[in-house]
Amino acid sequence: MDTNKVSLVTGASKGLGLTLVKKLLTAGYKVAATSRDLNTLTSEAGDRSEQFLPLETTLTDDGSVAHAISTIVNTFGTIDVVVNNAGYGQLGTLEELSDDEARKNFEVNVFGSLNVIRNVMPYFRKNKSGAFFNISSIAGFLGTFPGWGVYNATKFAVAGFTEALSAEVKSLGITATVVYLGYFKTNFLLKGSLRLAEKSIAEYKEARELETIHQEQIPGNQPGDPEKAASVLIQVAESDQRPLHLFLGTDALNMAKNKIETLKEQLTANEQLSKSTDFV
């Protein structure tokens, strides 16, 4: 494994991001990590060193991101791997969430990653190499989770722009992978990583039931091991054949397979209707 590679991990002060940073550092890689709170990041991952560069960065501010990227390159000389991990969950039905709540979720989960990609690409293009890992969710492939519509939309967006990015950079020696996470035992469902709608409407029975499940039953019982997920990400980053789509967790894999089967059934059932719209 080429431990001279420089990795950038966003949203690195907790959850999978923090686990990945620690594992990369232990393996001897050079790591740059961003967080909105530098003190929290350094208290969790360690102080700045020859191997580690913690950065306080506002991902929704393109200027802040540009400064972070230039600092990384000036410090380590290059960037080889980017893990766009920063994001948060937003609960609330489409009616309940305000325009401000919805836009804030998109600002972090979508536009934050786009800011990173835009500022990293000049260096990747110059090096004619590089790997992006954009962290989505099984909710970015399967959207039938009541009360998660806006969050789902942000993660579908991550999948969509990653697919486009992979095609745009193919001839440049750069890869892009969308990572669909299942339920991993991190703090994602805890306060600070999961926000509730400011306005709640009791009539949304299914959404309220799923909200309760995510607050009271799932936390602490997630089947996924973040240590193993981090190891897989490192393994794939070192591979010469990086996939465009990577599902992590048996739960995510099974939900994806079930959706694919449903799609196949509906494609077959409606094939004649689909074809009937062509000019004859």
Side-chain angles (χ1 to χ4, degrees), residues 48-182:
R48 178 170 177 168
S49 67
E50 291 184 358
Q51 187 187 356
F52 181 49
L53 177 62
L55 295 165
E56 184 169 291
T57 308
T58 302
L59 296 179
T60 56
D61 181 342
D62 189 63
S64 179
V65 173
H67 180 262
I69 300 305
S70 64
T71 301
I72 296 167
V73 174
N74 289 336
T75 302
F76 291 134
T78 190
I79 300 176
D80 300 292
V81 178
V82 171
V83 181
N84 277 310
N85 169 72
Y88 69 92
Q90 176 66 67
L91 276 174
T93 66
L94 299 184
E95 180 186 359
E96 290 170 333
L97 291 181
S98 67
D99 179 74
D100 182 60
E101 288 172 299
R103 287 179 184 274
K104 283 181 178 177
N105 204 208
F106 269 88
E107 284 289 338
V108 175
N109 293 8
V110 178
F111 290 101
S113 292
L114 291 177
N115 287 340
V116 173
I117 292 166
R118 185 184 310 109
N119 284 283
V120 168
M121 271 304 303
Y123 299 101
F124 276 13
R125 282 192 292 107
K126 180 181 178 181
N127 295 337
K128 294 192 181 300
S129 68
F132 287 105
F133 290 87
N134 298 325
I135 306 299
S136 180
S137 162
I138 187 57
F141 186 80
L142 174 68
T144 50
F145 299 101
W148 288 84
V150 166
Y151 175 77
N152 292 351
T154 68
K155 292 305 183 179
F156 268 85
V158 170
F161 72 63
T162 304
E163 287 192 0
L165 179 63
S166 72
E168 292 168 355
V169 302
K170 186 175 182 180
S171 64
L172 299 173
I174 301 163
T175 63
T177 300
V178 53
V179 182
Y180 304 91
L181 297 178

Side-chain angles (χ1 to χ4, degrees), residues 191-265:
K191 185 177 180 181
S193 295
L194 182 65
R195 301 180 187 179
L196 303 181
E198 295 175 2
K199 169 188 174 184
S200 181
I201 301 174
E203 287 91 334
Y204 282 106
K205 177 177 177 291
E206 294 85 356
R208 295 291 82 77
E209 290 175 349
L210 194 59
E211 185 177 296
T212 299
I213 289 171
H214 279 88
Q215 288 185 291
E216 299 179 5
Q217 298 179 27
I218 296 178
N221 295 308
Q222 299 97 319
D225 183 343
E227 293 282 342
K228 292 180 179 178
S231 294
V232 169
L233 289 174
I234 295 172
Q235 178 183 338
V236 175
E238 290 290 348
S239 172
D240 293 329
Q241 300 296 323
R242 304 181 194 111
L244 171 55
H245 301 281
L246 178 62
F247 291 86
L248 294 185
T250 301
D251 53 350
L253 187 66
N254 288 338
M255 282 187 272
K257 287 181 176 180
N258 288 339
K259 177 174 179 176
I260 290 169
E261 287 304 312
T262 299
L263 284 174
K264 286 181 178 179
E265 292 171 4

